[in-house]
């Protein structure tokens, strides 16, 4: 039968992915998969996760799929943005993540700070993860322009219990920090099927002390005469990303995170053909970010900040005639409680008709973060007995809700399936409620000022209808055509303006709307028994997020302006694929796939400076045209080279270019930031016996720029790209040993970043060599 470019053999049941929709049975090395998914698909199973990946979060399960990476800087990072072929590590709204049909993607903003809610699913719950590349299916919204992730969790058919305990740690050595950072992780789940009822209860706890995320610097001051100063020692010196000398004075943002996640999944089978599922998940987090200084005065006391007068205004270093001021080093804290609720009712006739109703709601019941202000005291860390003032940001009430009505129809019954029609309705609403206020005294527990520094509110809403037909015109030829009609609006937008001593004033924004149609087309041909070919074309519309158009943020060293008139991004994407699957010979059941892909994006939403107005305005703006092209090759050799050894991997080359930009014409012909040129993975798994498995994996990423081309200097700023502050290349080896002690007990040892490679994502460092030990009980 026709191959649709799926990963190595597995069985996707009717309730997986968009399971109520028609499925096409694919034999041999390929699998059962919905026929209305016309894009390249790669996946990873629960067994592969257990054997190959030191995964303590669900985000980490994706890092060895082709052209896929999650920006998880440390274990438990809440800002783990999903990166795929054509989106950057700060573009969170260009990929879509679902778990059991429920939306985990956070489309409140398109930012490093609005990553998918990975913590709502623990890696031990996962049955399978699949990645769909590109906007080629009408089933998914415009936010899937780069791709879609489908997570399927386990559902028990008998009583089962699972317990897992992990310990992990790293010795982090950078600048003046040489310290051990450790953590623990534990999870437990119970499940059973009793008559028509099934249930799954899970609990997950993570306690991790992360490494520093940023570093303070000394800034040379312009002075006259010989002012008062304080002599200090302990500074670290190197070259910054532009190749200029810099002085590092402190380590900031080492995040101690305590995360708890509890979920209940209840299933009731009304009959063999109709099933209802209810989902309730609660995630809580408490976080503190600490500061440590490298500087000491002549008396050995720690020096944190400079102030505005006297001997505290400047510092001097030995053998350096210049005077310096110190950048602020402020601690912080955060507390969160988020709730995900979901309900689905679906049929599973696998005959002529199937249908499904899915409703979900994600609520940030509590979202509070605090940061200390710089007191100007040399000796004040911000956490002393008398604590300084600060800033508090409250996002309570922010969240989203969605509803999907889906149906599928097959012509000619279950076996022939000449046509497989999918159609449905979708609606969602995103609500922003964010307020930033000053805290006059004791930043850690003091009350917010009556008048906020900023107060941003707003809503966006999308309604969509889609229709898609998978027509198997011949046993070796399938045409998939469809379209998605979307109507979007933004409303109830407002924020405050207190800049430049302007009195507090609430700005109200007029509502906006847009209506768009996104056609899709895919043609697949089984050219020979071993060779399948496909061409796909799709358009997508990525609407501005509620934060991009309505939110203003005013924090120390971080001011963000909004633009209520942003246009939606309009994407035209294509893919040409050739895949070989060998049923015989030395590479029996092996596969090799090569994909040529491209994306042409109009009105791309990118943070830049408008040089055509005076004064220049820096904000998120529409860039006229960005073009991304690339080639991706993935292979799976199975166990055909050496008995017991499985090998799979991928190589990707990408070039992303700004074609035209009327607001900053000098950027035409330059690179889009944070899109690496080369990416590659390879995973080797050796089954030494039924009980013992060894795994060694490699992942690498090449050159990418951390910012737009500097039209003033006519050069990219990151001429020194592999230091703190850049988006560097990396070459990382990971390894794992899994031993099945008995039928119920397993133990695992692992190391991530075996070679202790130091790499960065502007400006933060990733974890260095990290050791893992795990004990697992399954009943």
């Amino acid at each position: 039968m026709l191959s649709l470019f799926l990963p190595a053999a597995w069985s996707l049941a009717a309730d997986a992915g968009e399971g109520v929709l028609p499925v096409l049975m694919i034999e041999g090395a390929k699998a059962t998969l919905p026929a209305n998914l016309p894009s390249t698909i790669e996946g990873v199973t629960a067994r592969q996760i257990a054997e190959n990946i030191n995964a303590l979060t669900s985000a980490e399960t994706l890092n060895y799929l082709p052209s896929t990476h999650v920006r998880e800087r440390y274990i438990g990072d809440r800002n783990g943005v999903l990166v795929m072929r054509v989106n950057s590590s700060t573009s969170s709204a260009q990929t879509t993540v679902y778990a059991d049909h429920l939306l985990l993607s956070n489309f409140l903003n398109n930012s490093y700070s609005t990553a998918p809610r990975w913590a709502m699913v623990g890696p031990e719950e996962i049955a399978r993860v699949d990645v769909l590349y590109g906007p080629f299916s009408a089933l998914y919204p415009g936010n899937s322009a780069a791709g879609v992730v489908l997570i399927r969790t386990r559902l028990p058919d008998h009583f089962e219990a699972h317990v897992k305990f992990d310990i992990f740690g790293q010795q982090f050595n950078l600048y003046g920090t040489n310290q051990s950072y450790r953590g623990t992780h534990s999870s437990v789940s119970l499940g059973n099927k009793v008559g028509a009822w099934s249930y799954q209860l899970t609990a997950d706890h993570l306690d991790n002390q992360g490494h520093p995320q940023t570093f303070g610097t000394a800034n040379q001051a312009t002075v006259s005469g010989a002012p008062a100063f304080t002599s200090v020692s302990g500074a670290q010196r190197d070259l910054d990303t532009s190749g200029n000398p810099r002085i590092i004075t402190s380590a900031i943002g080492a995040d101690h995170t305590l995360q708890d996640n509890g979920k209940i999944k209840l299933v009731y089978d009304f009959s063999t053909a109709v099933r209802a599922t209810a989902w309730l998940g609660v995630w809580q987090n408490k976080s503190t970010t600490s500061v440590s200084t490298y500087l000491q005065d002549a008396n050995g006391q720690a020096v944190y900040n400079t102030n505005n007068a006297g001997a505290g205004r400047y510092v001097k270093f030995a053998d350096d005639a210049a005077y310096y001021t110190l950048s602020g080093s402020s601690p912080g804290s955060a507390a969160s409680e988020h709730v995900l609720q979901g309900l689905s009712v679906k049929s599973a006739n696998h005959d002529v008709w199937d249908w499904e109703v899915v409703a979900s709601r994600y609520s940030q019941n509590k979202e509070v973060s605090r940061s200390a202000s710089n007191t100007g005291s040399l000796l004040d860390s911000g956490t002393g007995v008398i604590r300084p003032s600060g800033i508090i940001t409250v996002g309570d009430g922010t969240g989203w809700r969605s509803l999907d009505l889906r149906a599928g129809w097959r012509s000619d019954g279950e076996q022939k399936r000449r046509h497989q029609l999918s159609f449905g309705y979708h609606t969602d609403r995103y609500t922003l409620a964010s307020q930033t206020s000053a805290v006059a005294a004791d930043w850690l527990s003091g009350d917010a000022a009556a008048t906020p520094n900023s107060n941003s509110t707003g809503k966006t809403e999308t309604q969509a209808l889609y229709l898609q037909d998978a027509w198997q015109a011949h046993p070796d030829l399938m045409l998939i055509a469809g379209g998605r009609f979307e109507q979007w609006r933004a409303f109830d937008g407002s924020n405050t303006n207190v800049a430049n001593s302007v009195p507090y004033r609430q700005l109200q924004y007029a509502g906006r709307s847009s209506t768009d149609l996104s056609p899709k087309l895919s043609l697949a041909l089984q050219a020979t028994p071993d060779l399948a070919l496909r061409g796909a074309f799709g358009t997508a519309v990525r609407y501005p997020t509620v934060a991009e158009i309505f939110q203003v943020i005013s924090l120390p060293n971080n001011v963000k302006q909004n633009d209520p008139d942003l246009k939606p991004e309009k994407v035209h994407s294509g893919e040409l694929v050739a895949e070989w699957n060998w049923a015989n010979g030395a590479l029996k059941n092996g596969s090799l796939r090569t994909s040529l892909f491209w994306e042409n994006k109009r009105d791309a939403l990118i943070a830049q400076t408008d040089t055509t107005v005076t004064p220049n305005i820096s904000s998120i703006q529409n860039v006229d045209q960005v073009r991304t092209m690339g080639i991706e090759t993935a292979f799976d050799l199975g166990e055909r080279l050496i008995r017991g050894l499985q090998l799979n991997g991928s190589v990707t080359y990408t070039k992303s270019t700004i074609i035209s930009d009327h607001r900053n014409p000098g950027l035409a012909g330059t690179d889009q930031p944070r899109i690496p040129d080369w990416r590659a993975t390879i995973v080797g798994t050796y089954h030494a016996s039924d009980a013992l498995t060894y795994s060694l994996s490699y992942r690498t990423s090449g050159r990418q720029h951390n910012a737009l081309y500097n039209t003033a200097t006519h050069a990219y700023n990151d001429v020194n790209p592999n230091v703190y502050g850049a988006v560097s290349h990396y070459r990382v080896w990971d390894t794992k040993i899994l031993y099945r002690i008995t039928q119920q007990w397993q133990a695992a040892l692992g190391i991530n970043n075996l070679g202790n490679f130091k790499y960065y994502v502007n400006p933060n460092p990733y974890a260095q060599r990290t050791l893992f030990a795990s004990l697992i009980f399954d009943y």
Side-chain angles (χ1 to χ4, degrees):
M1 301 181 70
L2 182 67
S3 173
L4 291 185
F5 311 94
L6 311 182
W10 56 282
S11 177
L12 181 59
D15 64 346
E18 299 302 315
V20 303
L21 302 172
V23 294
L24 176 66
M25 300 298 297
I26 301 175
E27 299 173 345
K30 293 300 173 180
T32 303
L33 204 79
N36 46 21
L37 298 180
S39 59
T40 295
I41 303 167
E42 297 283 353
V44 59
T45 65
R47 178 177 178 178
Q48 291 170 320
I49 294 169
E51 293 181 342
N52 301 327
I53 306 173
N54 299 306
L56 303 185
T57 67
S58 57
E60 294 165 324
T61 64
L62 295 167
N63 278 334
Y64 281 98
L65 294 174
S67 308
T68 304
H69 170 69
V70 176
R71 176 191 173 270
E72 192 175 59
R73 301 160 298 168
Y74 56 94
I75 296 169
D77 185 2
R78 280 92 63 200
N79 295 336
V81 172
L82 173 63
V83 181
M84 295 181 67
R85 288 171 174 172
V86 296
N87 73 298
S88 77
S89 57
T90 58
S91 300
S92 60
Q94 296 175 4
T95 57
T96 307
V97 180
Y98 296 94
D100 293 336
H101 308 186
L102 305 182
L103 183 66
L104 296 187
S105 288
N106 182 353
F107 297 143
L108 292 165
N109 202 350
N110 183 47
S111 163
Y112 68 88
S113 63
T114 47
R117 299 310 194 188
W118 302 108
M120 278 293 177
V121 178
E124 290 75 34
E125 303 174 59
I126 294 174
R128 182 173 182 91
V129 181
D130 286 284
V131 173
L132 288 64
Y133 296 85
F136 304 118
S137 172
L139 280 64
Y140 302 106
N143 299 94
S144 64
V148 180
V149 172
L150 304 175
I151 300 174
R152 179 165 60 101
T153 63
R154 296 191 316 271
L155 183 64
D157 56 12
H158 60 276
F159 178 77
E160 61 178 44
H162 307 276
V163 180
K164 185 171 184 279
F165 180 72
D166 307 280
I167 58 174
F168 55 93
Q170 63 167 320
Q171 186 69 29
F172 185 84
N173 186 358
L174 185 63
Y175 298 120
T177 301
N178 189 354
Q179 186 173 338
S180 177
Y181 295 97
R182 298 187 178 94
T184 61
H185 170 256
S186 55
S187 64
V188 60
S189 68
L190 297 172
N192 198 4
K193 180 174 176 59
V194 182
W197 288 95
S198 301
Y199 69 86
Q200 186 88 44
L201 308 176
T202 62
D204 189 282
H205 175 73
L206 175 67
D207 180 348
N208 183 31
Q209 175 59 68
H211 57 270
Q213 291 300 297
T214 58
F215 295 87
T217 58
N219 306 300
Q220 188 170 342
T222 301
V223 300
S224 59
F229 65 90
T230 299
S231 296
V232 295
S233 60
Q236 308 287 308
R237 296 176 181 265
D238 73 344
L239 300 179
D240 66 14
T241 60
S242 297
N244 300 316
R246 68 180 168 190
I247 302 175
I248 303 294
T249 61
S250 59
I252 306 171
D255 183 12
H256 182 198
T257 179
L258 293 168
Q259 299 182 28
D260 292 286
N261 181 23
K263 287 187 297 300
I264 301 174
K265 183 163 65 172
L266 293 175
V267 178
Y268 183 74
D269 293 319
F270 291 98
S271 67
T272 57
V274 180
R275 166 176 288 180
T277 304
W279 222 83
L280 174 64
V282 179
W283 174 77
Q284 295 178 323
N285 173 64
K286 291 183 178 179
S287 168
T288 56
T289 53
S290 59
V291 172
S292 62
T293 181
Y294 303 148
L295 302 183
Q296 294 180 335
D297 64 14
N299 297 319
Q301 296 186 90
V303 172
Y304 291 89
N305 304 294
T306 47
N307 60 34
N308 294 322
R313 184 173 184 180
Y314 302 111
V315 298
K316 284 193 69 176
F317 304 98
D319 301 321
D320 191 331
Y323 296 86
Y324 293 88
T325 59
L326 302 179
S327 64
S329 53
S330 301
S333 71
S336 306
E337 181 179 283
H338 297 181
V339 178
L340 175 61
Q341 304 168 74
L343 177 65
S344 72
V345 182
K346 66 179 181 179
S347 70
N349 296 313
H350 307 308
D351 192 4
V352 177
W353 285 96
D354 271 318
W355 54 268
E356 180 177 32
V357 178
V358 181
S360 67
R361 182 184 184 93
Y362 193 98
S363 305
Q364 294 183 182
N365 292 346
K366 181 179 183 179
E367 185 63 33
V368 179
S369 62
R370 293 172 176 261
S371 61
S373 299
N374 296 322
T375 64
S377 171
L378 288 174
L379 309 181
D380 191 352
S381 67
T383 56
V385 176
I386 300 177
R387 291 190 284 262
S389 61
I391 294 291
I392 180 172
T393 300
V394 179
D396 299 4
T398 295
W400 62 87
R401 66 189 190 208
S402 66
L403 173 68
D404 285 278
L405 309 177
R406 305 183 180 114
W409 173 81
R410 309 172 181 86
S411 68
D412 300 327
E414 174 71 13
Q415 299 300 319
K416 295 182 180 179
R417 296 184 185 168
R418 303 291 294 180
H419 287 273
Q420 301 184 57
L421 199 65
S422 302
F423 54 94
Y425 167 78
H426 167 85
T427 183
D428 62 53
R429 176 175 291 188
Y430 285 82
T431 300
L432 171 69
S434 176
Q435 180 168 294
T436 301
S437 306
V439 177
D442 192 350
W443 68 274
L444 197 54
S445 60
D447 294 330
T451 301
N453 292 352
S454 64
N455 179 20
S456 302
T457 63
K459 298 181 179 71
T460 59
E461 182 178 86
T462 305
Q463 298 190 68
L465 295 170
Y466 69 83
L467 175 66
Q468 185 164 281
D469 183 24
W471 176 36
Q472 192 168 327
H474 181 273
D476 293 330
L477 183 67
M478 176 169 283
L479 175 68
I480 302 177
R484 189 177 183 92
F485 176 81
E486 293 173 300
Q487 187 175 66
W488 170 87
R489 68 186 184 112
F491 57 102
D492 292 348
S494 70
N495 57 42
T496 60
N497 184 350
V498 292
N500 300 321
S501 301
V502 174
Y504 180 92
R505 182 162 58 98
Q506 193 78 18
L507 303 177
Q508 305 290 335
Y509 296 102
R512 294 179 50 207
S513 63
S514 180
T515 301
D516 300 275
L517 177 65
S518 301
K520 324 278 185 175
L521 184 66
S522 174
L523 182 64
L525 171 67
Q526 194 73 44
T528 72
D530 294 337
L531 175 62
L533 304 173
R534 186 186 69 245
F537 173 80
T539 65
V541 179
R542 203 279 281 181
Y543 296 107
T545 62
V546 63
E548 284 175 308
I549 54 180
F550 292 139
Q551 186 173 25
V552 170
I553 298 175
S554 179
L555 296 173
N557 305 315
N558 181 8
V559 177
K560 174 189 172 183
Q561 299 295 330
N562 66 305
D563 182 353
D565 298 318
L566 290 174
K567 300 176 183 178
E569 295 181 327
K570 296 191 175 181
V571 172
H572 299 265
S573 294
E575 183 182 48
L576 297 174
V577 185
E579 183 172 7
W580 292 263
N581 288 279
W582 294 278
N584 300 296
L587 291 177
K588 184 179 180 181
N589 293 335
S591 66
L592 174 67
R593 173 182 58 81
T594 295
S595 302
L596 297 173
F597 60 89
W598 63 92
E599 176 191 84
N600 190 55
K601 184 183 296 183
R602 299 281 183 173
D603 292 319
L605 292 169
I606 297 176
Q608 67 164 9
T609 299
D610 187 344
T611 61
T612 65
V613 296
T614 303
N616 294 167
I617 297 175
S618 295
S619 63
I620 295 175
Q621 300 168 14
N622 288 111
V623 174
D624 298 295
Q625 184 180 5
V626 178
R627 181 180 300 151
T628 304
M629 305 183 71
I631 182 170
E632 174 186 276
T633 295
F635 65 89
D636 187 345
L637 301 184
E639 292 190 9
R640 299 305 160 182
L641 298 181
I642 300 174
R643 183 177 179 84
L645 176 64
Q646 295 177 324
L647 285 174
N648 65 78
S650 64
V651 179
T652 305
Y653 175 78
T654 309
K655 178 66 174 176
S656 187
T657 306
I658 296 172
I659 302 301
S660 60
D661 185 356
H662 76 273
R663 287 187 172 89
N664 197 337
L667 293 179
T670 65
D671 291 345
Q672 181 181 189
R674 295 179 179 243
I675 305 290
D677 51 4
W678 287 98
R679 282 177 276 198
T681 65
I682 187 167
V683 179
T685 307
Y686 180 63
H687 297 93
S689 67
D690 291 339
L692 183 61
T693 302
Y694 300 94
S695 177
L696 180 64
S697 306
Y698 176 74
R699 47 194 167 98
T700 183
S701 178
R703 184 72 164 103
Q704 55 188 306
H705 296 293
N706 65 2
L708 293 166
Y709 184 79
N710 190 327
T711 56
T713 62
H714 303 289
Y716 294 100
N717 291 335
D718 53 346
V719 296
N720 188 29
N722 297 310
V723 297
Y724 162 72
V727 184
S728 67
H729 79 284
Y730 59 79
R731 297 187 293 270
V732 176
W733 291 92
D734 302 330
T735 186
K736 187 173 185 178
I737 301 173
L738 179 66
Y739 181 62
R740 294 172 178 84
I741 304 169
T742 67
Q743 185 176 356
Q744 295 178 336
W745 289 92
Q746 300 179 68
L749 295 174
I751 304 175
N752 277 1
N753 196 358
L754 184 64
N756 204 29
F757 196 92
K758 294 181 180 180
Y759 60 116
Y760 310 88
V761 56
N762 177 28
N764 316 121
Y766 282 102
Q768 296 178 11
R769 183 188 296 116
T770 305
L771 281 65
F772 300 81
S774 305
L775 186 64
I776 306 108
F777 172 78
D778 295 310
Y779 179 81

